[in-house]
Amino acid sequence: MKILIINGPNLSRLDIRDSSIYGDLSYKELVNLITSHASTLGFTVDVRQSDDEAQIIKWLHEASDSNLPVIINPAAFTHYSYAIRDAAEMLKAPLIEVHLSNPLSREEFRHTSVISGVASGTIAGFGPNSYLLALDAMRTLLQK
Ligand code: DQA
């Protein structure tokens, strides 16, 4: 079973971002961690990152057309991209939203997610482990 993992803007620069918020792993290390946990669960993952809203929407269309489950960290788009939300709403397979940090414990503008309402669930605040927990949750969802 294949899962598409989509990462939004600035996540490719984890080694430069505030490590007290986002942890110590580089983006490459995060991808390796996700890929190796996925393989222990029997999943193949396609992990992508873009700073471009239109690109993320195209990937969601692709996932919708191919009936692919999606794990997404929309990064800052979480808080205001109705276009990503509308694309996510068209998915047929489950969608899980993840965040490295816990946006609810941060600035007020991060307290709103326009994506959560169309996701099966959200996992936030556990650093890289948020993605691994999302993979575990996805396995349960797909077994139903
Ligand atoms: C984030 C949280 C967002 O508020 C922020 O804009 C990000 C990363 C996270 O993973 O904690 O870029 O999605």
Side-chain angles (χ1 to χ4, degrees), residues 116-128:
S116 296
V118 295
S120 297
T122 301
I123 299 171
F126 300 102

Side-chain angles (χ1 to χ4, degrees), residues 60-61 81-91 114-115 118:
L60 288 167
H61 292 170
S81 177
Y82 301 123
I84 289 180
R85 179 202 163 98
D86 285 350
E89 194 173 22
M90 289 185 272
L91 291 169
V114 300
I115 309 299
V118 295

Side-chain angles (χ1 to χ4, degrees), residues 16-139:
I16 295 170
R17 294 185 83 176
D18 187 342
S19 61
S20 69
I21 297 173
Y22 296 113
D24 292 328
L25 292 193
S26 67
Y27 180 70
K28 194 168 182 287
E29 288 167 333
L30 176 66
V31 172
N32 288 341
L33 191 71
I34 294 168
T35 308
S36 109
H37 187 67
S39 81
T40 67
L41 298 176
F43 289 137
T44 304
V45 281
D46 183 351
V47 189
R48 304 180 189 176
Q49 188 278 330
S50 179
D51 298 327
D52 179 358
E53 187 179 25
Q55 178 63 75
I56 292 172
I57 291 165
K58 280 183 199 142
W59 288 340
L60 288 167
H61 292 170
E62 180 190 328
S64 172
D65 293 343
S66 318
N67 206 15
L68 277 181
V70 176
I71 294 173
I72 189 167
N73 182 346
F77 288 141
T78 305
H79 313 301
Y80 64 92
S81 177
Y82 301 123
I84 289 180
R85 179 202 163 98
D86 285 350
E89 194 173 22
M90 289 185 272
L91 291 169
K92 298 171 196 99
L95 170 73
I96 298 178
E97 177 187 354
V98 298
H99 299 282
L100 293 160
S101 67
N102 177 4
L104 292 176
S105 68
R106 299 179 62 196
E107 304 95 319
E108 202 165 340
F109 74 88
R110 297 185 202 274
H111 295 186
T112 298
S113 167
V114 300
I115 309 299
S116 296
V118 295
S120 297
T122 301
I123 299 171
F126 300 102
N129 207 25
S130 293
Y131 289 82
L132 310 189
L133 292 167
L135 285 165
D136 294 344
M138 186 62 87
R139 185 177 59 167

